[in-house]
Amino acid sequence: MIQKSSTNLPVKLFKLQSGWIIFLFLTHLITQSRNVLTGRSLEAVQGSLQIFNLDNEANLPAWYSSCALFVCALLLGIIAASSAKTGRKKTRNSWFGLSLIFMLLSLDEAISIHEEIIPGILRRIDSLPFSNGYDWTVLGGLCFIGVVAGYFRFWWRLPSVTRYMFAIAAVIFVGGAIGFEKISHFYEAKYQTENTIAYVVTCGIEELLEMMGIALFTYGLLDYITQHVVEQISFFGADSDGFAAGFAGADSLSHPQQGHAGLTKKRSKTTQV
């Protein structure tokens, strides 16, 4: 899926994020499985072991996820600002809307807003199928369907590579956030405790998929910027060639005319949204 780009930054950042995500996943499995095998309650364990618990809030994985979502919000804002400069009002509003959504997700990941709001909402929709007053996946699924319905036409107009990347990233993210969340709730209900290897593993996979979905979405945004937005970013106080050079790899820096021509040629083959 990750193809060699005319610029190196999207690939480098994706590799960096992937390495960090795998580290967080493995440390979660090792520390939390050790607690289960030694008979220690996951809820009672405090200190350094909880720093790597993917099922916890306000720790290292939560901090990383908040930062990753904030980066997405920032990149979406850059694209929106570029659209505004070219007079595409509807497109600008769509990009800004996505930026706001990701900003709220980042804020929620940092300070756990959903822990205060969602339980009250779930009590109101407790009669819905598959809802048990604790499981928020029904509400999450409804929100996801709403976003998909509202953004489908916008998504369909994106360049094909960007469209596919966004779709795959969304499937991976939702598969973790809703699919594996449901599975982890099943194991918790079955054994009446979170202190099982099955729960530790499914919870870890859930967060792994969420973080990888965001990493792929970040790659897609950076790839879109380098292919379709670079030449319009003059609001940074630098010309487009200077901005492009910041994204370019060693090859394009050593052959600036050839690298810039390659970018221009590749952009001309796709439609910008």
Side-chain angles (χ1 to χ4, degrees), residues 129-240:
F130 308 110
S131 177
N132 58 16
Y134 170 78
D135 187 356
W136 67 271
T137 56
V138 174
L139 181 60
L142 292 174
C143 291
F144 176 72
I145 291 172
V147 171
V148 170
Y151 272 90
F152 182 80
R153 291 180 63 185
F154 167 79
W155 170 79
W156 188 253
R157 294 194 188 102
L158 291 170
S160 58
V161 173
T162 306
R163 188 167 66 241
Y164 295 143
M165 283 185 186
F166 284 10
I168 293 173
V171 169
I172 293 173
F173 181 85
V174 175
I178 296 179
F180 271 87
E181 176 87 5
K182 202 74 177 173
I183 295 173
S184 64
H185 285 175
F186 166 79
Y187 281 115
E188 183 180 7
K190 180 178 179 180
Y191 297 107
Q192 296 298 309
T193 179
E194 297 178 355
N195 209 42
T196 63
I197 294 295
Y199 182 84
V200 167
V201 172
T202 54
C203 180
I205 295 175
E206 171 198 336
E207 298 295 332
L208 172 70
L209 292 176
E210 289 182 27
M211 292 187 290
M212 287 304 300
I214 294 301
L216 183 58
F217 186 66
T218 305
Y219 176 90
L221 290 173
L222 279 173
D223 182 74
Y224 180 87
I225 289 173
T226 57
Q227 303 300 335
H228 304 283
V229 180
V230 163
E231 63 185 4
Q232 298 165 12
I233 310 239
S234 58
F235 54 85
F236 279 102
D239 58 22
S240 60

Side-chain angles (χ1 to χ4, degrees), residues 78-168:
I78 290 174
I79 298 172
S82 171
S83 298
K85 288 181 66 67
T86 56
R88 297 187 304 276
K89 185 176 180 180
K90 290 184 178 179
T91 301
R92 177 202 65 186
N93 292 341
S94 296
W95 288 115
F96 268 131
L98 283 174
S99 180
L100 178 60
I101 290 172
F102 275 83
M103 189 66 71
L104 291 174
L105 289 174
S106 174
L107 184 63
D108 176 65
E109 194 70 43
I111 60 177
S112 305
I113 299 174
H114 67 279
E115 296 288 346
E116 301 295 331
I117 297 176
I118 289 181
I121 298 176
L122 287 176
R123 283 192 291 269
R124 296 178 180 273
I125 62 172
D126 191 39
S127 59
L128 289 177
F130 308 110
S131 177
N132 58 16
Y134 170 78
D135 187 356
W136 67 271
T137 56
V138 174
L139 181 60
L142 292 174
C143 291
F144 176 72
I145 291 172
V147 171
V148 170
Y151 272 90
F152 182 80
R153 291 180 63 185
F154 167 79
W155 170 79
W156 188 253
R157 294 194 188 102
L158 291 170
S160 58
V161 173
T162 306
R163 188 167 66 241
Y164 295 143
M165 283 185 186
F166 284 10
I168 293 173

Side-chain angles (χ1 to χ4, degrees), residues 30-107:
I30 293 170
T31 57
Q32 305 313 306
S33 296
R34 178 175 175 271
N35 291 334
V36 173
L37 294 175
T38 56
R40 303 173 69 184
S41 170
L42 297 182
E43 296 88 348
V45 174
Q46 301 295 329
S48 59
L49 291 179
Q50 290 292 47
I51 292 177
F52 298 106
N53 187 353
L54 290 173
D55 196 32
N56 263 20
E57 309 290 343
N59 60 3
L60 195 58
W63 173 84
Y64 165 78
S65 295
S66 179
C67 290
L69 289 164
F70 179 78
V71 168
C72 289
L74 181 62
L75 295 175
L76 287 163
I78 290 174
I79 298 172
S82 171
S83 298
K85 288 181 66 67
T86 56
R88 297 187 304 276
K89 185 176 180 180
K90 290 184 178 179
T91 301
R92 177 202 65 186
N93 292 341
S94 296
W95 288 115
F96 268 131
L98 283 174
S99 180
L100 178 60
I101 290 172
F102 275 83
M103 189 66 71
L104 291 174
L105 289 174
S106 174
L107 184 63

